[in-house]
Amino acid sequence: MVKMMIKRLTTGDEARACEISEKIYGRKIGPEQVSEFLTNPLNHLLAAYIGGELAAFLVAYELQRNDGLPNMMYLHRIDTLEQYRRRGAGRALITELKRICRERGVCKMWVLSETTEGALGLYAATGGRLCEGAAVMFEYEDFREMKGSIEE
Ligand SMILES: CC(C)(COP(=O)(O)OP(=O)(O)OC[C@H]1O[C@@H](n2cnc3c(N)ncnc32)[C@H](O)[C@@H]1OP(=O)(O)O)[C@@H](O)C(=O)NCCC(=O)NCCS
């Protein structure tokens, strides 16, 4: 049986983080572009390897609260490379993130899901409960070009 390994990437794992960017986002980056991310203990970048090859990854952010409750975990993104889908990598990544949540005493974990079969199926299969009437999402423009400019 082919072995699956789940690894949380931290400082020293820059090459693995760059591989994720290239294989999943299609963006070639250098180690200096991920080192700050990897150093932050509130950032969670987990990768799944099947037979030693990158199969899937997730990114989650631990968010601090201002109401006295412990941090919450925002699952931002999860992706399994097409050729590795339905082999348990997505489930294994979420299981590991839930373990981290318990270890750190996180008050809740949440994700804004796409409405695809895969996403809905995965979250339901890993214990996620659908929040009825939950908010829709708005996004604002890309601010990179406007850096330093004054708002009209
Ligand atoms: C969603 C996604 C991450 C699932 O990853 P995966 O590694 O294939 O998931 P797993 O093999 O661990 O599946 C675990 C369970 O989730 C459910 N599931 C996964 N994919 C499913 C699909 N396409 N349809 C229905 N249920 C699905 C099943 O219950 C599955 O258990 P089973 O295979 O024993 O039936 C993957 O399909 C993907 O990368 N999709 C594109 C990106 C995406 O949509 N990300 C989520 C954005 S919110």
Side-chain angles (χ1 to χ4, degrees), residues 5-22:
M5 176 186 82
I6 303 295
K7 181 169 172 52
R8 176 164 185 232
L9 307 190
T10 57
T11 302
D13 294 315
E14 286 77 5
R16 288 180 187 272
C18 291
E19 182 191 15
I20 289 174
S21 177
E22 188 172 348

Side-chain angles (χ1 to χ4, degrees), residues 56 78-81 84-92 111-114 116-119 121-123 125:
I78 181 164
D79 268 274
T80 300
L81 288 164
Y84 290 108
R85 286 188 189 161
R86 296 310 281 265
R87 290 174 66 176
R91 185 194 293 275
V111 59
L112 288 173
S113 180
E114 287 182 13
T116 55
E117 239 184 309
L122 176 64
Y123 301 136

Side-chain angles (χ1 to χ4, degrees), residues 9 20 24-25 37 42-47 56-62 73-79 93-94 97 109-111 123:
L9 307 190
I20 289 174
I24 300 192
Y25 303 127
F37 183 98
L42 300 181
N43 293 340
H44 298 270
L45 177 55
L46 307 182
F57 89 114
L58 76 70
V59 179
Y61 299 97
E62 216 174 301
M73 189 70 84
Y74 162 47
L75 169 53
H76 175 64
R77 180 160 181 170
I78 181 164
D79 268 274
L93 286 170
I94 293 187
L97 189 62
M109 173 168 139
W110 53 279
V111 59
Y123 301 136

